Amino acid sequence: MSTNITWHAGLTRKERSELRKQQGATIWFTGLSASGKSTIATALEQHLLQQGLAAYRLDGDNVRFGLNKDLGFDEKSRNENIRRIAEVAKLFADSSCLALTSFISPYKADRQTARELHEQATNTDTPLPFIEVYVDISVEEAEKRDPKGLYKKARAGVIKDFTGISAPYEAPEKPEIHIDSVNTSVEEAVVIITKYLEEKGLLKQG
């Protein structure tokens, strides 16, 4: 725990939101490898940007090239991986940006920690919206897709601690949005999520 530090307040979230004419939120995609969560998140990001909204996607692989390149895939490293991303997403959301995170995030406790970080007040008593999107697919179906050949390597013992094979995935019990990855196209998933965001008043401008 850092000591001798002080939080320096600037604009409040309300002031920033009014100036940018947009509310911030984190849209947290979770699901097995090859579930399609990154593909959906990418399509959603493009759709939101085309609508003139500030949106940015944080991808599980991409952050390991920089911010989290020092982390492995054991449980402790996975915990820290998600903690860091939750903090970054929170900053994006607090800046009135729509943060899209695409991570397997296999443990319920870690996802709950991410949610609680957004619920904690920062410059305001209003929690930051945290929307969990569960991109649901069975291990069997995910293995059929396996675009990176990861499941095959995991089955062969080449990859250790692989979610769904040698490490657990704890599925969300009450996600805000549940996407059936097998029976829902990417375009349909974007429509479902966009409709939810509209209903929550998160896509309003002006």
Side-chain angles (χ1 to χ4, degrees), residues 182-196:
V182 175
N183 298 304
T184 307
S185 69
V186 173
E187 294 75 18
E188 289 169 338
V190 169
V191 170
I192 291 169
I193 299 167
T194 300
K195 183 178 179 180
Y196 180 92

Side-chain angles (χ1 to χ4, degrees), residues 90-103:
K90 178 183 174 181
L91 292 174
F92 270 93
D94 190 51
S95 75
S96 300
C97 180
L98 291 167
L100 284 57
T101 72
S102 176
F103 294 82

Side-chain angles (χ1 to χ4, degrees), residues 30-132:
T30 178
L32 292 171
S33 179
S35 64
K37 58 188 179 297
S38 290
T39 302
I40 296 171
T42 299
L44 177 63
E45 179 189 32
Q46 183 176 25
H47 173 73
L48 294 172
L49 290 171
Q50 289 173 341
Q51 302 307 307
L53 294 159
Y56 193 80
R57 179 177 57 88
L58 297 163
D59 181 80
D61 281 350
N62 293 354
V63 297
R64 285 182 178 271
F65 281 99
L67 177 65
N68 292 346
K69 66 181 180 181
D70 59 320
L71 299 177
F73 289 91
D74 58 280
E75 184 173 348
K76 184 177 180 181
S77 293
R78 285 174 179 269
N79 296 155
E80 176 61 12
N81 183 53
I82 297 306
R83 187 196 68 79
R84 292 183 193 178
I85 291 308
E87 292 284 5
V88 172
K90 178 183 174 181
L91 292 174
F92 270 93
D94 190 51
S95 75
S96 300
C97 180
L98 291 167
L100 284 57
T101 72
S102 176
F103 294 82
I104 294 173
S105 46
Y107 302 112
K108 292 179 183 178
D110 290 342
R111 297 194 301 268
Q112 181 59 29
T113 296
R115 183 183 294 276
E116 290 172 357
L117 278 172
H118 287 69
E119 292 174 347
Q120 295 168 2
T122 338
N123 296 333
T124 176
D125 292 329
T126 305
L128 282 162
F130 183 89
I131 300 153
E132 188 174 50

